[in-house]
Amino acid sequence: MSKISKAQITVLSLALSAAGIAAVVAHVPVQSAQASPATQGLQTVPPPAIVRGLPDFSELVDQVGPSVVNIRTLERSNNARSSSGSGSGMDEEMQDFFRRFGIPIPSVPRQNPKQNRPQAEEEPQQRGVGSGFILTADGFIMTNAHVVQGADEVIVTLTDKRELKARIIGTDQRTDVAVVKIEAGGNLPAVRIGDANRLRVGEWVMAIGSPFNLENSVTAGIVSAKQRDTGDYLPLIQTDVAINPGNSGGPLLNMRGEVVGINSQIYSRSGGYMGISFAIPIDEAIRISEQLRASGHVTRGRIGVQITPVSKEIAESLGLPKTTGALVRMVEAGSPAEKAGLEAGDVILKVDGKVIEKSSDLPRAIGGTKPGSRASITVWRRGASRDLSITIAEMPDENKTAQKSKGKDEAKPSKPGLAQAYGMGVSDLSDAQRKEMKIRGGVRIDSLVEGPAARAGLQEGDVIVTAANTEITSTKDLENVLARHDKSKNLLLLVRRGDIVQYVVIKPVRG
């Protein structure tokens, strides 16, 4: 008889104890229908089990496995990234993973065995490994943009071990979706597309991919959350499915064998899986893929504003019924927003009647609107809502950097008054400053001392545009507002700093 370790004995003891308890419970006679005084009026019959056993994924793997592919990207040596000589002791696949999630690449000196080869050889170097899945029987494959972006060659390996060169149809970095095409004679096993909106938190899901180049690896877990805001244009699906380097671009499947997402990101402090992964909802990915297949790029709308979330304090100070909408911090000169009459400090509440619950909803709503079309925008301004009509422009391929204005310090000397009770000295703007900033008025903060204004984060050079939802064109206007304001309540200021406009809440003045 083989020896049993102490740990094994402990496990066996626990198992036997549990079995013994179960046996005892099984033989306890059922109590009569008469309830005890402590349980009278309460339901004592235990409810039926909600979860009955763990799922078996084997049939799903047999069904969907042939539709999942391994994607290997190559790069010519003369185009190789600096990582090849970076001194890190890891392969390119892992370096790509570290770069994608902003993790510093550890430096480990190593020798390059090919450094003495003749330059003329220029063999393709492996750049990275990812996954994908067959979208159509004629060879269209969906994957992540970061898997194939910048590759000179893309090699797709099918489950029958065929290796085929793929052509990149299009990539969209904003959503991390890409489509490639292989020529394999048709009749490829395409996936079935599911409905990501029907996913429920706690529902079982499965992933198939090539982590660390281990083809057709299967992991499973549950949906942890939906509508995670980790990107500008996509609310992602959060799961606890194990995702590692090489899983990117692979499918996330429901228990019906339908693709509900594309595995794209993880949350990690080490570069490895830490229990949180994210997938692109398949309905959004399909919409993007249709544009990529039609034109090779994605067309989005834009209106030319910079936005920020609406905090609870700002919502209360503005008289908004609830914390909702997108606060406009800046309006680009000559943009559709400026032409429509949008102003910095407006809160955008609706686009074509669709409520903007949070600031991240706005770029999705505008981005999904066809450029050239007109849209109705509802904004909250100085305690009331108003509707504006705006013509949607097209988002450029690369974001334009907003130019910062450099205001000349031509302010008149600070005037004493009620503003000093808040710890700030203010002055009127000169005509040149108003013209340069393209504003009708405003009051410049010239000096700050320890007090409510400084504690609220105001800085010298800031321009007060409104106070207590009242437009400020001069220091006299500001003094009048401060004279009427209840000193026991917060004071809401709309402040311009450079090209950015933001609300600042000053706490009540004490004393």
Side-chain angles (χ1 to χ4, degrees):
M1 179 177 178
S2 59
K3 295 183 178 180
I4 301 178
S5 68
K6 186 176 180 180
Q8 289 174 316
I9 291 173
T10 302
V11 173
L12 288 172
S13 300
L14 291 172
L16 290 172
S17 298
I21 291 170
V24 171
V25 171
H27 288 85
V28 171
V30 179
Q31 293 182 348
S32 63
Q34 184 177 1
S36 65
T39 60
Q40 283 184 353
L42 299 178
Q43 182 180 355
T44 58
V45 179
I50 296 176
V51 179
R52 301 178 182 87
L54 296 176
D56 183 354
F57 297 94
S58 57
E59 292 186 10
L60 293 183
V61 176
D62 292 339
Q63 174 187 327
V64 185
S67 303
V68 182
V69 302
N70 171 274
I71 297 178
R72 190 172 77 256
T73 57
L74 305 177
E75 194 172 54
R76 298 294 177 186
S77 58
N78 59 340
N79 293 331
R81 296 180 180 180
S82 58
S83 59
S84 61
S86 64
S88 67
M90 62 182 70
D91 58 23
E92 181 65 25
E93 174 191 347
M94 181 60 80
Q95 290 185 49
D96 278 346
F97 184 77
F98 271 63
R99 280 192 294 267
R100 173 159 177 72
F101 297 107
I103 303 168
I105 300 175
S107 179
V108 180
R110 66 173 183 176
Q111 295 294 326
N112 184 356
K114 298 182 180 181
Q115 62 184 358
N116 296 323
R117 288 190 178 184
Q119 189 174 359
E121 289 188 25
E122 292 188 357
E123 295 179 357
Q125 306 295 313
Q126 181 163 312
R127 177 176 173 272
V129 175
S131 305
F133 53 92
I134 300 171
L135 198 58
T136 62
D138 58 349
F140 283 99
I141 292 172
M142 187 177 288
T143 185
N144 283 147
H146 77 265
V147 171
V148 299
Q149 192 76 34
D152 292 321
E153 291 184 31
V154 177
I155 307 298
V156 171
T157 304
L158 305 178
T159 53
D160 60 10
K161 302 305 179 184
R162 281 186 292 170
E163 290 193 355
L164 303 167
K165 285 189 177 182
R167 176 167 52 95
I168 299 177
I169 301 300
T171 63
D172 182 52
Q173 295 184 54
R174 289 187 173 100
T175 56
D176 198 24
V177 173
V179 175
V180 301
K181 179 73 163 60
I182 59 173
E183 303 298 335
N187 297 322
L188 292 172
V191 298
R192 289 188 295 115
I193 302 300
D195 185 356
N197 295 317
R198 292 179 58 190
L199 275 178
R200 300 175 62 192
V201 175
E203 180 179 342
W204 282 98
V205 283
M206 181 184 75
I208 307 179
S210 304
F212 303 106
N213 207 17
L214 300 171
E215 298 177 12
N216 284 82
S217 291
V218 179
T219 53
I222 63 170
V223 176
S224 303
K226 297 173 62 177
Q227 303 290 317
R228 286 298 193 206
D229 287 323
T230 61
D232 289 337
Y233 292 94
L234 287 177
L236 300 183
I237 303 166
Q238 179 187 331
T239 75
D240 67 350
V241 178
I243 300 297
N244 283 293
N247 271 115
S248 292
L252 183 72
L253 303 144
N254 62 20
M255 294 303 292
R256 293 179 292 277
E258 301 166 332
V259 178
V260 292
I262 307 176
N263 297 310
S264 175
Q265 303 177 16
I266 68 168
Y267 173 82
S268 178
R269 294 180 178 179
S270 63
Y273 171 70
M274 293 184 68
I276 298 178
S277 54
F278 299 98
I280 302 166
I282 194 61
D283 53 337
E284 299 280 359
I286 290 295
R287 182 175 58 82
I288 296 300
S289 71
E290 289 172 350
Q291 291 196 54
L292 293 176
R293 289 171 60 183
S295 61
H297 69 277
V298 177
T299 300
R300 290 188 177 86
R302 69 182 296 270
I303 59 174
V305 294
Q306 288 187 17
I307 58 174
T308 190
V310 177
S311 68
K312 182 180 179 180
E313 286 184 330
I314 288 176
E316 291 176 350
S317 299
L318 290 175
L320 281 170
K322 60 178 181 178
T323 304
T324 186
L327 175 60
V328 178
R329 299 184 65 190
M330 188 193 76
V331 177
E332 292 181 17
S335 67
E338 184 185 58
K339 294 175 182 177
L342 268 170
E343 298 179 3
D346 287 346
V347 177
I348 299 177
L349 301 177
K350 296 180 182 179
V351 175
D352 280 338
K354 183 179 180 181
V355 176
I356 304 300
E357 294 287 351
K358 49 189 182 297
S359 59
S360 58
D361 291 342
L362 183 65
R364 294 166 191 163
I366 298 298
T369 304
K370 184 179 180 180
S373 61
R374 294 192 69 80
S376 173
I377 293 183
T378 302
V379 302
W380 185 266
R381 182 185 299 169
R382 300 186 187 96
S385 63
R386 62 181 68 189
D387 293 328
L388 304 174
S389 180
I390 190 168
T391 301
I392 307 299
E394 183 174 349
M395 174 76 73
D397 290 338
E398 296 181 359
N399 293 327
K400 294 182 178 180
T401 303
Q403 295 182 351
K404 294 184 178 181
S405 62
K406 299 179 181 179
K408 297 179 181 179
D409 189 5
E410 299 177 5
K412 297 178 181 179
S414 299
K415 297 180 180 179
L418 295 175
Q420 291 184 341
Y422 291 88
M424 56 184 179
V426 297
S427 64
D428 292 323
L429 291 175
S430 66
D431 292 338
Q433 287 174 322
R434 288 196 297 269
K435 183 177 180 181
E436 186 172 5
M437 295 181 187
K438 297 181 179 179
I439 56 178
R440 293 187 297 271
V443 171
R444 185 182 188 275
I445 298 177
D446 295 324
S447 61
L448 285 167
V449 296
E450 178 60 31
R455 288 194 294 269
L458 288 172
Q459 299 178 8
E460 293 182 6
D462 288 347
V463 175
I464 300 173
V465 180
T466 69
N469 296 320
T470 302
E471 187 174 4
I472 301 300
T473 60
S474 65
T475 54
K476 183 178 179 180
D477 288 343
L478 179 62
E479 291 294 306
N480 290 335
V481 169
L482 296 181
R484 297 191 304 267
H485 181 69
D486 186 346
K487 302 299 187 295
S488 65
K489 295 182 179 180
N490 290 339
L491 173 64
L492 181 68
L493 301 181
L494 182 62
V495 176
R496 176 165 176 165
R497 183 175 298 163
D499 277 348
I500 302 299
V501 173
Q502 60 189 356
Y503 279 106
V504 176
V505 177
I506 299 181
K507 300 295 183 180
V509 177
R510 304 299 180 188

